[in-house]
Amino acid sequence: MKFQFMFSALLCTSLSLSGQVQIGAKAFVAPNMTQASSKEYADLYANKLYDISYEKSQPRKGIGLSLYAQSDLLFFMTDALYTNSSRQFALLSTNFQRTSLDPPLKMQAAQNDLRLVVNSGVKLGNIKLGVGPEIALTMNSEEDLSKIEGIEKSDTKYNTGFNFLIGYMVNKHIHVDLRHTYIFQDVSNEYTFQGIPMDMRKNAKYLELSLAAYF
């Protein structure tokens, strides 16, 4: 409900702008800033310990459409972006005496999302300062982590997050934006181990650089 309220508030801001409205194309790349994390799980039935690690995420990148509106001091921007990203995990299984039972395994979870991002804020000359929410709707995904016995993947359809933006308008048509994005869900949000959420206690964070051309 709070997330829907933020979208509605920012949409109302856009409708109040009396200046020019433009639509354009945008491309972006966003290196991941999330630190690695690991967690141990005990399988009492198999007398095993599983050390499952989130290692890193590849930079997410994508292209899409952007709508931009401004008045003298305010701006509103909303993006619809086709995005691909991936996360890397590792698994080491041992007995309760910490003796390795199997070679370490490397696993990956990759997905394509449709990101809807809204930013609104103040415009100081050619500088834009804004904030706003985002929602990423999962289009398709591939992963091999759930092939491990005891690990299951739920059908998570979306992730949500929040952005802080600083942008520069090179001219009327070209904008360069830098966004810091914080994702509300854990990096292992859709996975459970023997019915218990994995919860690596790490939320994905990205530093996104984008280039937009408006018409």
Side-chain angles (χ1 to χ4, degrees):
M1 179 65 74
K2 291 182 179 179
F3 196 77
Q4 294 174 341
F5 176 78
M6 287 188 291
F7 264 113
S8 299
L10 291 172
L11 182 60
C12 290
T13 301
S14 72
L15 296 176
S16 68
L17 297 178
S18 58
Q20 185 178 21
V21 177
Q22 297 171 282
I23 190 169
K26 175 173 285 189
F28 76 92
V29 61
N32 183 271
M33 302 172 63
T34 313
Q35 295 180 345
S37 180
S38 64
K39 195 171 181 180
E40 282 191 342
Y41 302 87
D43 187 338
L44 300 179
Y45 303 104
N47 294 319
K48 283 184 179 182
L49 284 175
Y50 290 110
D51 188 324
I52 303 175
S53 301
Y54 162 77
E55 294 192 326
K56 62 180 180 179
S57 293
Q58 296 298 326
R60 66 177 183 177
K61 52 188 181 293
I63 58 174
L65 298 176
S66 179
L67 183 145
Y68 178 78
Q70 69 176 32
S71 64
D72 291 337
L73 295 175
L74 301 176
F75 79 92
F76 171 86
M77 182 173 65
T78 182
D79 302 327
L81 305 167
Y82 184 77
T83 304
N84 63 67
S85 60
S86 66
R87 292 160 289 165
Q88 294 182 7
F89 297 89
L91 179 142
L92 177 65
S93 58
T94 69
N95 60 23
F96 291 131
Q97 287 73 43
R98 307 288 180 174
T99 301
S100 179
L101 299 176
D102 301 297
L105 296 177
K106 300 287 187 179
M107 293 154 292
Q108 181 170 284
Q111 63 190 61
N112 294 317
D113 300 316
L114 176 62
R115 289 175 62 214
L116 303 176
V117 189
V118 176
N119 285 112
S120 183
V122 297
K123 185 172 67 71
L124 306 173
N126 289 341
I127 302 295
K128 299 179 295 183
L129 299 174
V131 296
E134 75 164 66
I135 182 169
L137 308 173
T138 301
M139 308 297 288
N140 54 72
S141 63
E142 295 182 0
E143 55 83 38
D144 49 15
L145 184 57
S146 63
K147 295 178 181 178
I148 304 300
E149 185 177 357
I151 297 179
E152 295 184 354
K153 179 180 181 294
S154 63
D155 292 328
T156 302
K157 297 299 184 182
Y158 65 90
N159 286 316
T160 55
F162 201 78
N163 294 274
F164 300 89
L165 174 140
I166 179 170
Y168 180 73
M169 295 179 288
V170 179
N171 54 43
K172 178 180 177 181
H173 302 289
I174 304 298
H175 293 202
V176 178
D177 294 323
L178 187 66
R179 274 194 287 228
H180 182 276
T181 304
Y182 179 88
I183 303 300
F184 296 142
Q185 287 75 28
D186 187 83
V187 293
S188 58
N189 175 60
E190 70 270 43
Y191 292 102
T192 61
F193 181 82
Q194 294 185 350
I196 301 172
M198 287 179 59
D199 190 10
M200 293 289 179
R201 298 184 180 179
K202 290 291 180 179
N203 297 75
K205 296 180 284 290
Y206 296 94
L207 190 63
E208 176 182 313
L209 179 65
S210 66
L211 177 66
Y214 293 99
F215 307 100

